[in-house]
Amino acid sequence: MEKLRRVLSGQDDEEQGLTTQVLDASSLSFNTRLKWFAICFVCGIFFSILGTGLLWLPGGIKLFAVFYTLGNLAALASTCFLMGPVKQLKKMFETTRLLATIIMLLCFVFTLCAALWWHKKGLAVLFCILQFLSMTWYSLSYIPYARDAVIKCCSSLLS
């Protein structure tokens, strides 16, 4: 009813605050979504740190690959609570993020394949490094001009 009232009174979505727009897009309350985002994100960080700690155990490369990938997936999924899963998927596959998203998802799969089925420790570690780099590049796509700044910084260091 409130949305109908805003439309009829001439207020459009651009005049609404961010909180109002987010609340209209989901049936969960803002506090609930914020809590689940924090829980999921902290679990992702915990799993990644746990996986890194398990790397140093004998035969821990499998546990490292599983927990590190699970941690990254949980951290990535945590943003679904903020913007909703459909909007998250749409944003992930926009043209500016498409390549980073595909590489990131492939690194998730290849990390698990290298550790669990191919039994190649070095390859699993390489894919974890690529996973980290692709997640970083993907995350930078949400910050205006961050990718350009990183490219300029790296090119100035190399020249």
Side-chain angles (χ1 to χ4, degrees), residues 64-136:
F64 166 68
V66 169
F67 280 108
Y68 189 78
T69 302
L70 183 65
N72 283 336
L73 284 170
L76 181 65
S78 69
T79 57
C80 289
F81 287 104
L82 291 180
M83 66 177 73
V86 174
K87 191 172 182 182
Q88 171 74 18
L89 288 173
K90 285 181 182 178
K91 285 190 172 284
M92 283 177 70
F93 290 99
E94 287 177 350
T95 56
T96 57
R97 296 180 188 94
L98 183 63
L99 184 61
T101 300
I102 290 172
I103 291 172
M104 179 180 59
L105 294 175
L106 285 174
C107 286
F108 290 159
V109 171
F110 288 154
T111 300
L112 295 175
C113 288
L116 300 175
W117 292 285
W118 302 336
H119 303 290
K120 303 286 185 185
K121 294 178 183 180
L123 202 54
V125 171
L126 174 67
F127 283 127
C128 281
I129 292 168
L130 291 175
Q131 204 180 113
F132 172 78
L133 293 174
S134 63
M135 285 271 304
T136 302

Side-chain angles (χ1 to χ4, degrees), residues 35-64:
K35 287 175 189 173
W36 280 105
F37 162 76
I39 289 168
C40 203
F41 192 75
V42 168
C43 285
I45 291 171
F46 173 75
F47 285 141
S48 294
I49 292 172
L50 179 65
T52 304
L54 293 173
L55 177 64
W56 309 112
L57 295 176
I61 191 72
K62 290 180 183 179
L63 293 173
F64 166 68

